[in-house]
């Protein structure tokens, strides 16, 4: 009995030891798994790098139409605990032809985004070109846009070139460039444009601005020419050459008394209404009316 009891006690102890070892092994394994998950979680939290290249191609033919299209996209993404940066380059090309027209379009876009806890910054460069030809009309257009933004504030420059010709005699070439800066409270826009109209035989040069300056490359000075105030254009006074404003340039009744302040004034005749003065005298000085001292002098 004592031998059996001793063996039984030893067997129970071995079982307990094995259970403890298994428990320890399970705990160690769980810790390893947890550490691995924590590692990947921390790695994900502090840095995630992604890159992708995608390409889509389409080619289709039918009895009435031929179409070819290709879209290529490159994407990258970098994430940290406080910053996320995304950038992409996309190029889309399309060719389409049918019995009545042919069309070619290409759009290239470069885009980046930087996001932080306090702001989001974006930059974009896009070029779009389109040509189209039909039996009646030919058209070519190119638009280039550069923009940068921080949250709701954006600055951009857009350049547009377009030409068109049709069988009805419409023939036009146009070029414009426009710069815009839009903040929280104010928006500023400036630009220039050229238009040649072959149908009317006229050409136009348009300026979009509040103020107009000329830069002198010889000495680096900037000269203001005119400015717009309440939709009225005002020339700077010192750019008017002496002697260039003559009497035939001044409309009748255009100059009023409030605008005259001179030390000498000569006129053949005058209808002056009420005259306030100190002295009136003839050209030879022999007839004097002294209003200040209240006497009249006549020399014969």
């Amino acid at each position: 009995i004592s031998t059996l009891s001793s063996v039984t006690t030893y067997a129970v102890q071995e079982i307990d030891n094995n259970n403890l070892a298994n428990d320890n092994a399970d705990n160690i394994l769980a810790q390893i798994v947890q550490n691995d998950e924590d590692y990947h979680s921390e790695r994900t939290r502090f840095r995630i790098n992604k890159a992708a290249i995608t390409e889509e191609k389409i080619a289709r033919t039918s009895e009435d139409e031929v179409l070819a299209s290709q879209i290529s996209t490159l994407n990258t993404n970098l994430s940290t605990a406080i910053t996320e940066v995304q950038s992409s380059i996309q190029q889309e090309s399309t060719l389409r032809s049918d019995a009545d027209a042919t069309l070619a379009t290409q759009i290239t876009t470069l885009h980046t985004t930087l996001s932080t806890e306090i702001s989001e910054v974006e930059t974009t460069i896009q070029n779009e070109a389109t040509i189209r030809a039909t039996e009646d009309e030919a058209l070519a257009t190119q638009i280039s846009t550069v923009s940068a933004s921080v949250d709701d504030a954006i600055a951009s420059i857009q350049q547009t070139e377009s030409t068109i010709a049709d069988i009805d005699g419409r023939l036009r070439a146009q070029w414009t460039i426009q710069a815009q800066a839009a903040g929280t409270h104010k928006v500023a826009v400036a630009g220039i444009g050229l238009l040649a109209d072959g149908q009317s035989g006229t050409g136009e040069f348009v300026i979009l601005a509040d103020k107009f300056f000329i830069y002198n490359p010889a000495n680096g000075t900037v000269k203001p020419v005119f400015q717009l105030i309440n939709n009225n254009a005002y020339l700077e006074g010192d750019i008017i050459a002496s002697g260039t404003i003559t009497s035939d340039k001044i409309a009748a009744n255009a100059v009023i008394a409030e605008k005259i302040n001179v030390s000498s004034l000569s006129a053949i005749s005058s209808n002056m209404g009420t005259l306030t003065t100190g002295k009136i005298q003839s050209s030879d000085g022999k007839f004097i009316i002294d209003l200040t001292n209240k006497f009249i002098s006549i020399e014969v």
Side-chain angles (χ1 to χ4, degrees), residues 79-182:
S79 297
T80 68
I82 59 174
T83 304
E84 181 175 357
V85 181
Q86 294 179 329
S87 59
S88 64
I89 300 176
Q90 184 179 74
Q91 181 168 312
E92 179 179 349
S93 303
T94 303
L95 299 173
R96 177 184 290 112
S97 298
D98 57 29
D100 300 320
T102 179
L103 170 69
T105 302
Q106 184 175 65
I107 302 174
T108 303
T109 304
L110 287 75
H111 181 79
T112 63
T113 302
L114 172 63
S115 300
T116 67
E117 295 178 350
I118 58 174
S119 65
E120 182 172 283
V121 180
E122 290 188 59
T123 56
T124 302
I125 298 177
Q126 185 177 74
N127 294 301
E128 177 180 349
T130 302
I131 56 175
R132 185 179 69 230
T134 67
E135 294 180 355
D136 304 326
E137 181 184 73
L139 169 70
T141 302
Q142 179 167 298
I143 302 174
S144 300
T145 305
V146 179
S147 65
S149 66
V150 177
D151 296 330
D152 295 331
I154 183 171
S156 65
I157 298 176
Q158 185 175 82
Q159 178 174 299
T160 303
E161 302 164 88
S162 65
T163 57
I164 186 171
D166 61 27
I167 62 174
D168 295 328
R170 187 172 56 153
L171 184 65
R172 300 180 65 181
Q174 182 174 326
W175 173 83
T176 62
I177 183 168
Q178 178 175 304
Q180 178 172 311

Side-chain angles (χ1 to χ4, degrees), residues 1-287:
I1 292 174
S2 109
T3 301
L4 179 59
S5 176
S6 175
V7 171
T8 301
T9 302
Y10 177 78
V12 171
Q13 185 177 358
E14 284 296 308
I15 292 173
D16 291 338
N17 290 338
N18 288 335
N19 289 336
L20 180 60
N22 290 333
D23 291 340
N24 290 336
D26 291 338
N27 291 335
I28 293 172
L29 179 60
Q31 188 63 43
I32 292 173
V33 172
Q34 183 63 45
N35 290 341
D36 184 70
E37 290 178 352
D38 291 342
Y39 165 76
H40 287 287
S41 175
E42 289 298 303
R43 186 178 184 275
T44 300
R45 188 167 69 91
F46 284 101
R47 166 166 284 188
I48 298 175
N49 296 332
K50 295 180 181 179
I53 300 175
T54 60
E55 190 169 62
E56 177 182 345
K57 296 180 181 180
I58 298 174
R60 184 174 66 239
T61 61
S62 66
E63 295 181 357
D64 303 323
E65 183 184 60
V66 177
L67 171 67
S69 177
Q70 178 173 310
I71 302 175
S72 300
T73 305
L74 287 74
N75 281 307
T76 62
N77 182 284
L78 169 65
S79 297
T80 68
I82 59 174
T83 304
E84 181 175 357
V85 181
Q86 294 179 329
S87 59
S88 64
I89 300 176
Q90 184 179 74
Q91 181 168 312
E92 179 179 349
S93 303
T94 303
L95 299 173
R96 177 184 290 112
S97 298
D98 57 29
D100 300 320
T102 179
L103 170 69
T105 302
Q106 184 175 65
I107 302 174
T108 303
T109 304
L110 287 75
H111 181 79
T112 63
T113 302
L114 172 63
S115 300
T116 67
E117 295 178 350
I118 58 174
S119 65
E120 182 172 283
V121 180
E122 290 188 59
T123 56
T124 302
I125 298 177
Q126 185 177 74
N127 294 301
E128 177 180 349
T130 302
I131 56 175
R132 185 179 69 230
T134 67
E135 294 180 355
D136 304 326
E137 181 184 73
L139 169 70
T141 302
Q142 179 167 298
I143 302 174
S144 300
T145 305
V146 179
S147 65
S149 66
V150 177
D151 296 330
D152 295 331
I154 183 171
S156 65
I157 298 176
Q158 185 175 82
Q159 178 174 299
T160 303
E161 302 164 88
S162 65
T163 57
I164 186 171
D166 61 27
I167 62 174
D168 295 328
R170 187 172 56 153
L171 184 65
R172 300 180 65 181
Q174 182 174 326
W175 173 83
T176 62
I177 183 168
Q178 178 175 304
Q180 178 172 311
T184 305
H185 303 292
K186 295 183 179 181
V187 177
V189 182
I192 56 176
L194 300 176
L195 172 64
D197 191 331
Q199 188 172 20
S200 64
T202 59
E204 297 179 5
F205 175 58
V206 180
I207 299 174
L208 177 63
D210 301 311
K211 299 180 180 180
F212 183 78
F213 299 84
I214 294 179
Y215 175 77
N216 186 350
N219 54 23
T221 59
V222 178
K223 178 64 181 176
V225 179
F226 63 82
Q227 58 181 317
L228 289 177
I229 302 176
N230 296 327
N231 206 33
N232 294 315
Y234 294 91
L235 286 172
E236 296 293 331
D238 59 352
I239 69 170
I240 302 175
S242 299
T244 58
I245 299 180
T246 55
S247 59
D248 60 325
K249 304 295 192 304
I250 302 175
N253 303 317
V255 180
I256 60 177
E258 287 82 357
K259 303 297 182 182
I260 300 176
N261 184 7
V262 296
S263 58
S264 177
L265 181 63
S266 177
I268 297 176
S269 63
S270 174
N271 183 1
M272 307 183 77
T274 300
L275 180 65
T276 301
T277 184
K279 181 189 292 186
I280 300 174
Q281 67 179 25
S282 62
S283 59
D284 59 3
K286 293 183 178 182
F287 182 28

